[in-house]
Amino acid sequence: MRSTSGPGPARTSPRTSTATGAGSHPDAVDAITDQWAAVRPDLETLPMAVFGRVYRLTQTVGSRMQQAYAPYGISRGEFDVLGTLRRSGEPYTLSPRELSATLMLTTGGMTGRLDKLERAGLLARSPDPHDRRGLRVTLSKRGLELVDEAVTAGLAVQREALDAGLDEEEARQLAALLRKLLLATGA
């Protein structure tokens, strides 16, 4: 542990480049935090180490997920729309506003995705029977079959990534820690 100084209470920070556990080796993020430590030893780089790794994992696994969805003719974003409708349960119908809120997309961004998926026959838009101004978006039979196949392909990619470095208990611990951090940050 190295001590950092500066305004506020003194903090101690583990040296992030020191690999811990049997078989651990330094990675690219360690190189970055080591460089910062060399030029700015006053910085606590543990947050950089954590979020740098989360970011790199997101990019790496995200690219692999995109490749897994490509044979189905959909992108990750389009999968998210189909998956959200599928998870909503029968009759697999939501409003565009509900989809936008769930996926944290603007209505304009959602419209583009819906247009493409509707042209592909994977969903249909229809008037909302309870609101003359509203629409409902419903997963088609073809969309249901496709998303069920695509989710299996995507989960296989994610499982492969987890199995490459973690055992089942470590994966559960990581999921719990990430949940805790998400809740604490209001994400």
Coordinates of all heavy atoms in Angstrom, one line a residue, residues 29-117:
V29 N -4.0 -2.0 -18.1 CA -4.4 -1.0 -17.2 C -3.4 -0.7 -16.1 O -3.1 0.4 -15.7 CB -5.8 -1.3 -16.6 CG1 -6.2 -0.3 -15.5 CG2 -6.9 -1.4 -17.7
D30 N -2.7 -1.8 -15.7 CA -1.6 -1.6 -14.8 C -0.5 -0.7 -15.3 O 0.0 0.1 -14.6 CB -1.0 -3.0 -14.4 CG -1.9 -3.9 -13.6 OD1 -2.5 -3.3 -12.7 OD2 -1.9 -5.1 -13.8
A31 N -0.2 -0.9 -16.6 CA 0.8 0.0 -17.3 C 0.3 1.5 -17.2 O 1.2 2.3 -16.9 CB 1.0 -0.5 -18.7
I32 N -0.9 1.7 -17.4 CA -1.4 3.1 -17.4 C -1.3 3.7 -16.0 O -0.9 4.8 -15.8 CB -2.9 3.1 -17.9 CG1 -2.9 2.8 -19.4 CG2 -3.5 4.5 -17.6 CD1 -4.3 2.5 -20.0
T33 N -1.8 2.9 -15.0 CA -1.8 3.4 -13.6 C -0.3 3.5 -13.1 O 0.0 4.5 -12.3 CB -2.6 2.5 -12.6 OG1 -2.1 1.2 -12.7 CG2 -4.1 2.6 -13.0
D34 N 0.6 2.7 -13.5 CA 2.0 2.8 -13.2 C 2.6 4.1 -13.8 O 3.4 4.8 -13.1 CB 2.8 1.6 -13.7 CG 2.6 0.4 -12.8 OD1 2.0 0.5 -11.7 OD2 3.1 -0.7 -13.2
Q35 N 2.2 4.4 -15.0 CA 2.7 5.6 -15.6 C 2.2 6.8 -14.8 O 3.0 7.8 -14.6 CB 2.3 5.7 -17.1 CG 3.0 4.7 -18.0 CD 2.3 4.6 -19.3 OE1 1.2 4.9 -19.5 NE2 3.1 4.1 -20.3
W36 N 0.9 6.9 -14.4 CA 0.4 8.0 -13.6 C 1.1 8.0 -12.3 O 1.5 9.1 -11.8 CB -1.1 7.8 -13.4 CG -1.9 8.4 -14.6 CD1 -2.7 7.7 -15.5 CD2 -1.9 9.8 -15.0 NE1 -3.2 8.6 -16.4 CE2 -2.8 9.9 -16.1 CE3 -1.4 10.9 -14.5 CZ2 -3.0 11.1 -16.7 CZ3 -1.6 12.1 -15.1 CH2 -2.5 12.2 -16.2
A37 N 1.4 6.9 -11.7 CA 2.0 6.9 -10.4 C 3.5 7.4 -10.5 O 3.9 8.1 -9.6 CB 2.1 5.4 -9.8
A38 N 4.1 7.2 -11.7 CA 5.5 7.7 -11.8 C 5.5 9.2 -12.0 O 6.4 9.9 -11.5 CB 6.1 7.1 -13.1
V39 N 4.5 9.8 -12.7 CA 4.5 11.2 -12.9 C 3.7 12.0 -11.9 O 3.9 13.2 -11.7 CB 4.1 11.6 -14.3 CG1 5.0 11.0 -15.3 CG2 2.6 11.2 -14.6
R40 N 2.7 11.3 -11.2 CA 1.9 12.0 -10.2 C 1.7 11.0 -9.1 O 0.6 10.4 -8.9 CB 0.5 12.3 -10.8 CG 0.5 13.5 -11.8 CD 0.5 14.8 -11.2 NE -0.3 15.0 -10.1 CZ -1.6 15.5 -10.1 NH1 -2.1 15.8 -11.3 NH2 -2.3 15.7 -9.0
P41 N 2.7 10.8 -8.2 CA 2.6 9.9 -7.1 C 1.5 10.3 -6.1 O 1.1 9.4 -5.3 CB 4.0 9.8 -6.5 CG 4.6 11.1 -7.0 CD 4.0 11.4 -8.3
D42 N 1.0 11.5 -6.2 CA 0.0 11.9 -5.3 C -1.4 11.4 -5.6 O -2.3 11.4 -4.8 CB -0.1 13.5 -5.2 CG -0.4 14.0 -6.6 OD1 0.3 13.7 -7.6 OD2 -1.3 14.8 -6.7
L43 N -1.6 10.9 -6.8 CA -2.9 10.4 -7.3 C -3.2 9.0 -6.7 O -2.4 8.1 -6.7 CB -3.0 10.3 -8.8 CG -2.9 11.6 -9.6 CD1 -2.9 11.4 -11.1 CD2 -4.0 12.6 -9.2
E44 N -4.5 8.8 -6.4 CA -5.0 7.5 -6.0 C -5.5 6.9 -7.3 O -6.6 7.4 -7.8 CB -6.0 7.6 -4.9 CG -6.6 6.2 -4.6 CD -7.9 6.3 -3.9 OE1 -8.4 7.4 -3.5 OE2 -8.5 5.2 -3.6
T45 N -4.9 5.9 -7.9 CA -5.3 5.4 -9.2 C -6.2 4.2 -9.1 O -6.6 3.6 -10.2 CB -4.1 5.1 -10.1 OG1 -3.3 4.2 -9.4 CG2 -3.3 6.4 -10.4
L46 N -6.6 3.8 -8.0 CA -7.5 2.6 -7.9 C -8.8 2.8 -8.7 O -9.2 1.9 -9.4 CB -7.8 2.2 -6.4 CG -8.7 1.0 -6.2 CD1 -8.1 -0.2 -6.9 CD2 -9.0 0.8 -4.7
P47 N -9.5 4.0 -8.6 CA -10.7 4.1 -9.4 C -10.4 4.0 -10.9 O -11.2 3.4 -11.6 CB -11.1 5.6 -9.1 CG -10.6 5.8 -7.7 CD -9.2 5.1 -7.7
M48 N -9.2 4.5 -11.3 CA -8.9 4.4 -12.7 C -8.7 2.9 -13.1 O -9.1 2.5 -14.2 CB -7.6 5.2 -13.0 CG -7.1 5.2 -14.4 SD -5.5 6.0 -14.6 CE -5.9 7.7 -14.1
A49 N -8.1 2.2 -12.2 CA -7.9 0.7 -12.4 C -9.2 0.0 -12.6 O -9.4 -0.8 -13.5 CB -7.0 0.1 -11.3
V50 N -10.1 0.3 -11.7 CA -11.4 -0.4 -11.7 C -12.2 0.0 -13.0 O -12.6 -0.9 -13.8 CB -12.3 0.0 -10.5 CG1 -13.7 -0.6 -10.6 CG2 -11.6 -0.6 -9.2
F51 N -12.4 1.3 -13.2 CA -13.2 1.7 -14.3 C -12.5 1.5 -15.7 O -13.2 1.3 -16.7 CB -13.7 3.1 -14.1 CG -14.7 3.2 -13.0 CD1 -14.3 3.7 -11.8 CD2 -16.0 2.7 -13.1 CE1 -15.2 3.8 -10.7 CE2 -16.9 2.7 -12.1 CZ -16.5 3.3 -10.9
G52 N -11.2 1.6 -15.7 CA -10.5 1.2 -16.9 C -10.7 -0.2 -17.3 O -10.9 -0.5 -18.5
R53 N -10.7 -1.1 -16.4 CA -11.0 -2.5 -16.7 C -12.4 -2.7 -17.1 O -12.7 -3.5 -18.0 CB -10.6 -3.4 -15.5 CG -9.1 -3.5 -15.4 CD -8.6 -4.4 -14.2 NE -7.2 -4.5 -14.3 CZ -6.4 -3.8 -13.4 NH1 -6.9 -3.0 -12.5 NH2 -5.1 -3.9 -13.5
V54 N -13.4 -2.1 -16.4 CA -14.8 -2.2 -16.8 C -15.0 -1.7 -18.2 O -15.6 -2.4 -19.0 CB -15.7 -1.4 -15.8 CG1 -17.1 -1.3 -16.3 CG2 -15.7 -2.1 -14.4
Y55 N -14.4 -0.6 -18.5 CA -14.5 0.0 -19.9 C -13.9 -1.0 -20.9 O -14.5 -1.3 -21.9 CB -13.8 1.3 -20.0 CG -13.8 1.9 -21.3 CD1 -14.9 2.5 -21.9 CD2 -12.6 1.8 -22.1 CE1 -14.9 3.0 -23.2 CE2 -12.7 2.3 -23.4 CZ -13.8 2.9 -23.9 OH -13.8 3.4 -25.2
R56 N -12.7 -1.5 -20.7 CA -12.1 -2.4 -21.6 C -12.8 -3.7 -21.8 O -13.0 -4.2 -22.9 CB -10.6 -2.7 -21.2 CG -9.7 -1.5 -21.5 CD -8.3 -1.7 -20.9 NE -7.5 -0.6 -21.2 CZ -6.5 -0.5 -22.1 NH1 -6.2 -1.6 -22.8 NH2 -5.8 0.6 -22.3
L57 N -13.4 -4.2 -20.7 CA -14.2 -5.4 -20.8 C -15.5 -5.1 -21.6 O -15.9 -5.9 -22.5 CB -14.6 -5.9 -19.4 CG -13.5 -6.7 -18.7 CD1 -13.9 -6.9 -17.3 CD2 -13.3 -8.1 -19.4
T58 N -16.1 -4.0 -21.4 CA -17.3 -3.6 -22.1 C -17.0 -3.5 -23.6 O -17.7 -4.0 -24.4 CB -17.8 -2.2 -21.6 OG1 -18.1 -2.4 -20.2 CG2 -19.0 -1.8 -22.4
Q59 N -15.9 -2.9 -24.0 CA -15.5 -2.8 -25.4 C -15.2 -4.1 -26.0 O -15.7 -4.4 -27.1 CB -14.3 -1.8 -25.5 CG -14.5 -0.4 -25.1 CD -15.6 0.2 -25.9 OE1 -15.6 0.2 -27.2 NE2 -16.6 0.8 -25.3
T60 N -14.4 -4.9 -25.3 CA -14.0 -6.2 -25.9 C -15.2 -7.2 -26.0 O -15.4 -7.7 -27.1 CB -12.9 -6.9 -25.0 OG1 -11.8 -6.0 -24.9 CG2 -12.5 -8.3 -25.5
V61 N -16.0 -7.3 -24.9 CA -17.1 -8.3 -25.0 C -18.2 -7.7 -25.9 O -18.9 -8.4 -26.6 CB -17.6 -8.6 -23.6 CG1 -18.8 -9.5 -23.6 CG2 -16.5 -9.3 -22.8
G62 N -18.3 -6.4 -25.9 CA -19.3 -5.7 -26.8 C -19.1 -6.0 -28.2 O -20.0 -6.3 -29.0
S63 N -17.8 -6.0 -28.6 CA -17.5 -6.3 -30.0 C -17.8 -7.8 -30.3 O -18.3 -8.1 -31.4 CB -16.0 -6.1 -30.3 OG -15.7 -4.7 -30.2
R64 N -17.5 -8.6 -29.4 CA -17.8 -10.1 -29.6 C -19.3 -10.3 -29.6 O -19.8 -11.1 -30.4 CB -17.2 -10.9 -28.5 CG -15.7 -10.9 -28.5 CD -15.1 -11.6 -27.3 NE -13.6 -11.4 -27.3 CZ -12.9 -11.8 -26.3 NH1 -13.4 -12.5 -25.3 NH2 -11.6 -11.6 -26.4
M65 N -20.1 -9.5 -28.8 CA -21.5 -9.6 -28.9 C -22.1 -9.2 -30.2 O -23.0 -9.8 -30.8 CB -22.2 -8.8 -27.8 CG -21.8 -9.1 -26.4 SD -22.6 -10.6 -25.8 CE -24.2 -10.0 -25.6
Q66 N -21.5 -8.1 -30.8 CA -21.9 -7.6 -32.1 C -21.7 -8.7 -33.1 O -22.6 -8.9 -34.0 CB -21.1 -6.3 -32.4 CG -21.5 -5.7 -33.8 CD -23.0 -5.2 -33.7 OE1 -23.4 -4.6 -32.7 NE2 -23.7 -5.4 -34.8
Q67 N -20.6 -9.4 -33.0 CA -20.3 -10.5 -34.0 C -21.3 -11.6 -33.8 O -21.7 -12.3 -34.8 CB -18.9 -11.0 -33.8 CG -17.8 -10.0 -34.2 CD -16.4 -10.4 -33.8 OE1 -16.2 -11.4 -33.2 NE2 -15.4 -9.6 -34.3
A68 N -21.7 -11.9 -32.6 CA -22.6 -13.0 -32.3 C -24.0 -12.6 -32.9 O -24.8 -13.5 -33.3 CB -22.8 -13.2 -30.8
Y69 N -24.4 -11.3 -32.9 CA -25.7 -10.9 -33.4 C -25.7 -10.8 -34.9 O -26.8 -10.8 -35.5 CB -26.2 -9.6 -32.7 CG -26.4 -9.7 -31.2 CD1 -26.1 -8.7 -30.4 CD2 -26.9 -10.9 -30.6 CE1 -26.2 -8.8 -29.0 CE2 -27.1 -11.0 -29.3 CZ -26.7 -9.9 -28.5 OH -26.9 -10.0 -27.1
A70 N -24.6 -10.5 -35.5 CA -24.5 -10.3 -36.9 C -25.2 -11.4 -37.8 O -25.9 -11.0 -38.7 CB -23.0 -10.1 -37.4
P71 N -25.0 -12.6 -37.5 CA -25.7 -13.6 -38.3 C -27.2 -13.5 -38.3 O -27.9 -14.0 -39.2 CB -25.3 -15.0 -37.7 CG -24.0 -14.7 -37.0 CD -24.1 -13.3 -36.5
Y72 N -27.7 -12.8 -37.3 CA -29.2 -12.6 -37.2 C -29.6 -11.3 -37.9 O -30.8 -11.0 -37.9 CB -29.6 -12.7 -35.7 CG -29.2 -14.0 -35.1 CD1 -28.1 -14.0 -34.3 CD2 -30.0 -15.1 -35.2 CE1 -27.7 -15.2 -33.7 CE2 -29.6 -16.3 -34.7 CZ -28.5 -16.4 -33.9 OH -28.1 -17.5 -33.3
G73 N -28.7 -10.6 -38.4 CA -29.0 -9.4 -39.1 C -29.3 -8.2 -38.2 O -30.0 -7.3 -38.6
I74 N -28.9 -8.3 -36.9 CA -29.2 -7.2 -36.0 C -27.9 -6.7 -35.3 O -27.0 -7.4 -35.2 CB -30.3 -7.6 -34.9 CG1 -29.8 -8.9 -34.2 CG2 -31.6 -7.9 -35.6 CD1 -30.6 -9.2 -33.0
S75 N -28.0 -5.5 -34.8 CA -26.9 -4.9 -34.1 C -27.2 -5.1 -32.6 O -28.3 -5.5 -32.2 CB -26.8 -3.4 -34.3 OG -28.0 -2.7 -33.8
R76 N -26.3 -4.7 -31.7 CA -26.5 -4.8 -30.3 C -27.7 -3.9 -29.9 O -28.5 -4.3 -29.1 CB -25.2 -4.4 -29.5 CG -24.1 -5.4 -29.6 CD -22.8 -4.9 -28.9 NE -23.0 -4.4 -27.6 CZ -22.2 -3.5 -27.0 NH1 -21.1 -3.1 -27.6 NH2 -22.4 -3.2 -25.8
G77 N -27.7 -2.7 -30.4 CA -28.8 -1.8 -30.1 C -30.2 -2.4 -30.5 O -31.2 -2.2 -29.8
E78 N -30.2 -3.0 -31.7 CA -31.5 -3.6 -32.1 C -31.8 -4.8 -31.3 O -33.0 -5.1 -31.0 CB -31.4 -3.9 -33.6 CG -31.3 -2.7 -34.5 CD -30.6 -2.9 -35.8 OE1 -30.1 -4.0 -36.1 OE2 -30.6 -1.9 -36.6
F79 N -30.8 -5.6 -30.9 CA -31.1 -6.7 -30.0 C -31.7 -6.2 -28.7 O -32.6 -6.8 -28.2 CB -29.8 -7.5 -29.6 CG -30.0 -8.4 -28.5 CD1 -30.6 -9.7 -28.8 CD2 -29.8 -8.1 -27.2 CE1 -30.9 -10.6 -27.7 CE2 -30.0 -8.9 -26.2 CZ -30.6 -10.2 -26.4
D80 N -31.2 -5.1 -28.2 CA -31.7 -4.5 -26.9 C -33.2 -4.2 -27.1 O -34.0 -4.4 -26.1 CB -31.0 -3.2 -26.5 CG -29.5 -3.5 -26.1 OD1 -29.2 -4.7 -25.7 OD2 -28.7 -2.6 -26.0
V81 N -33.6 -3.7 -28.2 CA -35.1 -3.4 -28.4 C -35.9 -4.7 -28.4 O -36.9 -4.8 -27.7 CB -35.3 -2.6 -29.7 CG1 -36.8 -2.5 -30.0 CG2 -34.7 -1.2 -29.7
L82 N -35.4 -5.6 -29.2 CA -36.1 -6.9 -29.3 C -36.1 -7.6 -27.9 O -37.1 -8.2 -27.5 CB -35.5 -7.8 -30.3 CG -35.5 -7.3 -31.8 CD1 -34.7 -8.2 -32.7 CD2 -37.0 -7.1 -32.3
G83 N -35.0 -7.6 -27.2 CA -34.9 -8.2 -25.9 C -35.8 -7.6 -24.9 O -36.4 -8.3 -24.1
T84 N -35.9 -6.3 -24.9 CA -36.8 -5.6 -24.0 C -38.2 -6.0 -24.2 O -39.0 -6.2 -23.3 CB -36.6 -4.1 -24.1 OG1 -35.2 -3.7 -23.8 CG2 -37.5 -3.3 -23.2
L85 N -38.6 -6.1 -25.5 CA -40.0 -6.5 -25.8 C -40.2 -8.0 -25.3 O -41.2 -8.3 -24.7 CB -40.3 -6.4 -27.3 CG -40.5 -5.0 -27.8 CD1 -40.4 -5.0 -29.3 CD2 -41.7 -4.4 -27.3
R86 N -39.2 -8.8 -25.5 CA -39.3 -10.2 -25.1 C -39.4 -10.3 -23.6 O -40.2 -11.1 -23.1 CB -38.1 -11.0 -25.7 CG -38.0 -12.4 -25.2 CD -39.1 -13.2 -25.9 NE -39.0 -14.6 -25.7 CZ -39.7 -15.4 -24.9 NH1 -40.6 -14.9 -24.1 NH2 -39.5 -16.7 -24.9
R87 N -38.6 -9.6 -22.9 CA -38.6 -9.6 -21.4 C -39.9 -9.1 -20.8 O -40.2 -9.4 -19.7 CB -37.4 -8.8 -20.9 CG -36.1 -9.4 -21.1 CD -35.0 -8.7 -20.3 NE -35.2 -7.3 -20.1 CZ -34.7 -6.3 -20.9 NH1 -34.0 -6.6 -21.9 NH2 -34.9 -5.0 -20.6
S88 N -40.6 -8.3 -21.6 CA -41.9 -7.7 -21.1 C -43.0 -8.7 -20.9 O -44.0 -8.5 -20.2 CB -42.4 -6.6 -22.0 OG -42.9 -7.1 -23.2
G89 N -42.8 -9.9 -21.5 CA -43.8 -11.0 -21.4 C -44.9 -10.8 -22.4 O -45.0 -9.8 -23.0
E90 N -45.7 -11.9 -22.5 CA -46.8 -11.8 -23.5 C -47.7 -10.6 -23.1 O -48.0 -10.4 -22.0 CB -47.6 -13.1 -23.5 CG -46.8 -14.2 -24.2 CD -47.6 -15.5 -24.4 OE1 -48.7 -15.4 -25.0 OE2 -47.1 -16.5 -24.0
P91 N -48.2 -9.9 -24.1 CA -48.1 -10.1 -25.6 C -46.9 -9.4 -26.2 O -46.9 -9.1 -27.4 CB -49.4 -9.4 -26.1 CG -49.6 -8.3 -25.1 CD -49.1 -8.8 -23.8
Y92 N -45.8 -9.2 -25.4 CA -44.5 -8.6 -25.9 C -44.8 -7.3 -26.6 O -44.3 -7.0 -27.7 CB -43.9 -9.6 -26.9 CG -43.8 -11.0 -26.5 CD1 -44.5 -12.0 -27.2 CD2 -43.1 -11.4 -25.3 CE1 -44.4 -13.3 -26.7 CE2 -43.1 -12.7 -24.9 CZ -43.7 -13.7 -25.6 OH -43.7 -14.9 -25.1
T93 N -45.5 -6.4 -25.8 CA -45.9 -5.1 -26.3 C -45.6 -4.0 -25.3 O -45.9 -4.2 -24.2 CB -47.4 -5.1 -26.6 OG1 -47.7 -6.1 -27.6 CG2 -47.9 -3.8 -27.1
L94 N -45.0 -3.0 -25.8 CA -44.7 -1.8 -25.0 C -44.9 -0.5 -25.9 O -44.9 -0.6 -27.1 CB -43.2 -1.8 -24.5 CG -42.8 -2.9 -23.6 CD1 -41.3 -2.9 -23.4 CD2 -43.5 -2.7 -22.2
S95 N -45.0 0.6 -25.3 CA -45.1 1.9 -26.0 C -43.6 2.3 -26.4 O -42.7 1.9 -25.7 CB -45.7 3.0 -25.2 OG -44.8 3.4 -24.2
P96 N -43.5 3.1 -27.4 CA -42.1 3.6 -27.7 C -41.5 4.4 -26.6 O -40.3 4.3 -26.3 CB -42.4 4.6 -28.9 CG -43.6 4.0 -29.6 CD -44.5 3.5 -28.4
R97 N -42.3 5.1 -25.8 CA -41.8 5.8 -24.6 C -41.3 4.8 -23.6 O -40.2 5.0 -23.0 CB -42.9 6.7 -24.0 CG -42.5 7.4 -22.8 CD -43.4 8.5 -22.3 NE -43.3 9.6 -23.2 CZ -44.3 10.2 -23.8 NH1 -45.5 9.8 -23.6 NH2 -44.1 11.3 -24.6
E98 N -42.0 3.7 -23.3 CA -41.5 2.7 -22.4 C -40.2 2.1 -22.9 O -39.3 1.9 -22.1 CB -42.6 1.6 -22.2 CG -43.8 2.1 -21.4 CD -45.0 1.1 -21.5 OE1 -45.2 0.4 -22.6 OE2 -45.7 0.9 -20.5
L99 N -40.1 1.8 -24.1 CA -38.9 1.3 -24.7 C -37.7 2.3 -24.5 O -36.6 1.9 -24.1 CB -39.0 0.9 -26.2 CG -39.7 -0.4 -26.5 CD1 -40.1 -0.4 -28.0 CD2 -38.9 -1.6 -26.1
S100 N -38.0 3.5 -24.9 CA -37.0 4.6 -24.7 C -36.5 4.7 -23.3 O -35.3 4.8 -23.1 CB -37.5 5.9 -25.2 OG -37.7 5.9 -26.6
A101 N -37.4 4.7 -22.4 CA -37.0 4.8 -20.9 C -36.2 3.6 -20.5 O -35.2 3.8 -19.8 CB -38.2 5.0 -20.1
T102 N -36.6 2.5 -20.9 CA -35.8 1.2 -20.5 C -34.4 1.2 -21.0 O -33.5 0.8 -20.4 CB -36.6 0.0 -20.9 OG1 -37.9 0.0 -20.3 CG2 -35.9 -1.3 -20.5
L103 N -34.3 1.7 -22.3 CA -33.0 1.6 -23.0 C -32.2 2.9 -22.9 O -31.1 3.0 -23.5 CB -33.3 1.2 -24.5 CG -33.9 -0.1 -24.7 CD1 -34.3 -0.3 -26.2 CD2 -33.0 -1.3 -24.2
M104 N -32.8 3.9 -22.2 CA -32.1 5.2 -22.1 C -31.7 5.8 -23.4 O -30.6 6.2 -23.7 CB -30.9 5.1 -21.1 CG -31.2 4.6 -19.7 SD -29.8 4.5 -18.6 CE -29.0 3.1 -19.3
L105 N -32.7 5.8 -24.3 CA -32.6 6.3 -25.7 C -33.5 7.5 -25.8 O -34.6 7.6 -25.2 CB -33.0 5.3 -26.7 CG -32.0 4.3 -27.1 CD1 -32.6 3.3 -28.1 CD2 -30.7 4.9 -27.7
T106 N -33.1 8.4 -26.7 CA -34.0 9.5 -27.1 C -35.1 8.9 -27.9 O -34.9 7.8 -28.5 CB -33.3 10.6 -27.9 OG1 -32.9 10.1 -29.1 CG2 -32.1 11.2 -27.1
T107 N -36.2 9.6 -28.1 CA -37.3 9.1 -28.9 C -36.8 9.1 -30.4 O -37.2 8.1 -31.1 CB -38.6 9.9 -28.8 OG1 -38.3 11.3 -29.0 CG2 -39.2 9.7 -27.4
G108 N -36.0 10.0 -30.8 CA -35.5 10.0 -32.1 C -34.6 8.8 -32.4 O -34.7 8.1 -33.5
G109 N -33.7 8.4 -31.5 CA -32.9 7.2 -31.6 C -33.8 6.0 -31.6 O -33.5 5.0 -32.4
M110 N -34.8 5.9 -30.8 CA -35.7 4.8 -30.8 C -36.4 4.6 -32.1 O -36.6 3.5 -32.6 CB -36.7 4.9 -29.6 CG -37.7 3.8 -29.5 SD -36.9 2.1 -29.3 CE -36.1 2.3 -27.8
T111 N -36.9 5.8 -32.7 CA -37.6 5.7 -33.9 C -36.8 5.1 -35.0 O -37.3 4.2 -35.8 CB -38.1 7.1 -34.4 OG1 -38.9 7.7 -33.4 CG2 -38.8 7.1 -35.7
G112 N -35.5 5.4 -35.1 CA -34.7 4.8 -36.2 C -34.6 3.3 -36.0 O -34.6 2.5 -37.0
R113 N -34.4 2.8 -34.8 CA -34.3 1.4 -34.5 C -35.6 0.7 -34.8 O -35.6 -0.4 -35.5 CB -33.9 1.1 -33.1 CG -32.5 1.5 -32.8 CD -32.1 1.1 -31.4 NE -30.8 1.6 -31.1 CZ -30.2 1.5 -29.9 NH1 -30.8 0.8 -28.9 NH2 -29.0 2.0 -29.7
L114 N -36.7 1.3 -34.4 CA -38.0 0.7 -34.7 C -38.3 0.6 -36.2 O -38.8 -0.4 -36.7 CB -39.1 1.5 -34.0 CG -39.1 1.5 -32.4 CD1 -40.2 2.3 -31.9 CD2 -39.1 0.0 -31.9
D115 N -38.0 1.7 -36.9 CA -38.2 1.7 -38.4 C -37.4 0.5 -39.0 O -38.0 -0.3 -39.8 CB -37.6 3.0 -39.0 CG -38.5 4.2 -38.7 OD1 -39.7 4.0 -38.3 OD2 -38.0 5.3 -38.9
K116 N -36.2 0.3 -38.7 CA -35.4 -0.8 -39.3 C -36.0 -2.2 -38.9 O -36.1 -3.1 -39.7 CB -33.9 -0.7 -38.8 CG -33.1 -1.8 -39.5 CD -31.6 -1.7 -39.2 CE -30.9 -2.8 -39.8 NZ -29.6 -3.1 -39.2
L117 N -36.3 -2.3 -37.6 CA -36.8 -3.6 -37.1 C -38.2 -3.9 -37.7 O -38.5 -5.1 -38.0 CB -36.8 -3.7 -35.6 CG -35.5 -3.6 -34.9 CD1 -35.6 -3.4 -33.4 CD2 -34.7 -5.0 -35.2

